[in-house]
Amino acid sequence: APPRLQYLLEPLHAAVHTQRGATATLPCVLRALPRNYRVKWSKVEPANYRENIIIITNGLYHKNYGPLSPRVHLRHSHRYDASLTITDVALEDEGRYRCQLVNGLEDESVSLTLHLEGVVFPYQPSNGRYKFNYHEAKRACEQQDSRLATYQQLYKAWTEGLDWCNAGWVLDGTVHYPIINSREPCGGRLLLPGVRTYGARDKQKDRFDAFCFTSALQGSQVYFIRGHLNFKEAGQACRNHGAAIAKVGQLYSAWKFSQLDRCDGGWLADGSVRYPITTPRERCGGLPDPGVRSFGFPRKELRTYGTYCFVEK
């Protein structure tokens, strides 16, 4: 068993839940102030298991480090309080944090997890399935207002109903696919439901789809403009309203967090055509479960669809 904490209080909850754009505080409280102590906050990165230092304090002075630097400060609501506050939480802030008391030989630490409420979606490019190496998958998610999902996020999405037959990268460089309804093309009928895994793959050479994760974006809205627009006109229609054509992650976020429900296919920024269904019904794709349906990537000259626009209020 790990040694009992002498100076740090065991946190009441090991996980802090938040949303993108919010302010979140990770608690770390001392029960006594040792002489000449320092408190060091760091973030554990799943992609390479490295710890990135965020802030170091000796109670009087503190110094911020790394990309989180402009958005973090110590809450310091009393002299024993070394809690870390993150403002304007971003997708990449999700993960494990460590508050470490450095006191000569007697180091002790507590671990906390920052969870973003979000939605995971599978993503493949216009030229078909299994085209991304790891780095391309990572970039593709970022271009859709999302990031590569962690394995924990994918697992949670599976428990909430994500069923997808194509394997995709997740953040730590492993490859998986979540199955709820066992069927022939997806590993056979005899395998139990679960998150099937291909394990760690070559990040340069191996090619799969991507599982992206996005979170609610406070104060934003996705709405539909009807019409028979080609891809270029779709973008212009959104700009005429002072908006931008929506990205895939933004449509998923609006579907999940704002219950956006439309039976109309609309262009999105990547050239795909999709529509969000929260109340499944006969004439809207006929599938029994809610979800974002896709028409794939039609020819950009086609004048068949409306468009989904994104605006920050």
Side-chain angles (χ1 to χ4, degrees):
R4 239 186 86 241
L5 293 174
Q6 266 186 302
Y7 291 106
L8 293 177
L9 283 176
E10 198 58 70
L12 280 174
H13 304 286
V16 172
H17 293 265
T18 185
Q19 280 192 343
R20 179 154 56 152
T23 296
T25 298
L26 297 163
C28 185
V29 177
L30 297 126
R31 66 173 72 158
L33 299 177
R35 289 180 50 195
N36 306 328
Y37 75 96
R38 291 202 317 278
V39 170
K40 179 173 93 178
W41 274 100
S42 53
K43 182 166 192 260
V44 185
E45 294 301 342
N48 49 17
Y49 301 108
R50 277 222 308 271
E51 287 205 16
N52 294 337
I53 296 175
I54 300 168
I55 207 164
I56 293 179
T57 180
N58 64 0
L60 293 171
Y61 306 103
H62 65 269
K63 188 164 164 43
N64 292 19
Y65 299 86
L68 264 172
S69 188
R71 294 190 289 113
V72 293
H73 61 270
L74 294 167
R75 181 174 64 182
H76 222 41
S77 56
H78 52 82
R79 63 198 202 105
Y80 298 103
D81 185 11
S83 303
L84 182 75
T85 296
I86 305 174
T87 56
D88 194 15
V89 169
L91 290 175
E92 59 271 17
D93 298 346
E94 163 122 354
R96 231 176 76 222
Y97 291 78
R98 205 152 81 101
C99 174
Q100 185 180 14
L101 177 80
V102 185
N103 172 33
L105 301 169
E106 310 233 10
D107 288 9
E108 41 184 86
S109 67
V110 293
S111 271
L112 296 143
T113 306
L114 186 65
H115 278 300
L116 268 74
E117 302 300 324
V119 55
V120 171
F121 60 95
Y123 189 74
Q124 51 180 229
S126 56
N127 57 350
R129 68 174 216 163
Y130 294 178
K131 301 291 186 203
F132 293 136
N133 71 20
Y134 172 81
H135 307 285
E136 291 159 350
K138 195 162 176 286
R139 216 164 29 246
C141 289
E142 284 160 12
Q143 285 164 353
Q144 295 313 315
D145 191 45
S146 57
R147 70 184 293 233
L148 268 184
T150 63
Y151 177 77
Q152 286 78 4
Q153 287 164 343
L154 180 64
Y155 187 88
K156 183 169 183 281
W158 168 71
T159 67
E160 291 168 0
L162 183 61
D163 178 272
W164 196 253
C165 210
N166 294 345
W169 293 102
V170 300
L171 188 61
D172 63 6
T174 57
V175 173
H176 312 268
Y177 63 105
I179 294 295
I180 287 179
N181 307 309
S182 300
R183 50 204 187 274
E184 269 321 310
C186 313
R189 290 205 183 119
L190 301 175
L191 277 178
L192 289 171
V195 178
R196 312 269 164 80
T197 178
Y198 286 17
R201 290 296 163 133
D202 187 313
K203 289 181 177 178
Q204 296 291 352
K205 294 199 191 96
D206 288 328
R207 295 192 173 269
F208 296 96
D209 291 347
F211 285 107
C212 305
F213 171 84
T214 191
S215 177
L217 195 49
Q218 297 182 330
S220 67
Q221 189 194 2
V222 172
Y223 60 91
F224 181 73
I225 296 181
R226 51 174 72 248
H228 297 285
L229 309 168
N230 65 29
F231 178 66
K232 207 169 156 190
E233 293 162 346
Q236 194 52 54
C238 291
R239 286 194 293 279
N240 294 347
H241 282 84
I245 187 166
K247 297 174 173 178
V248 179
Q250 290 162 345
L251 185 67
Y252 268 93
S253 178
W255 164 74
K256 172 94 172 176
F257 295 103
S258 310
Q259 281 66 57
L260 187 62
D261 183 280
R262 287 223 59 130
C263 216
D264 310 277
W267 291 103
L268 295 177
D270 66 341
S272 65
V273 170
R274 303 173 198 246
Y275 61 103
I277 297 293
T278 46
T279 312
R281 44 209 186 274
E282 272 303 294
R283 294 223 187 102
C284 298
L287 294 169
D289 299 315
V292 174
R293 320 269 195 248
S294 172
F295 286 120
F297 294 84
R299 287 203 338 277
K300 287 187 172 171
E301 303 75 52
L302 273 183
R303 282 203 169 91
T304 315
Y305 306 105
T307 182
Y308 287 95
C309 305
F310 172 84
V311 66
E312 287 194 60
K313 294 195 185 112

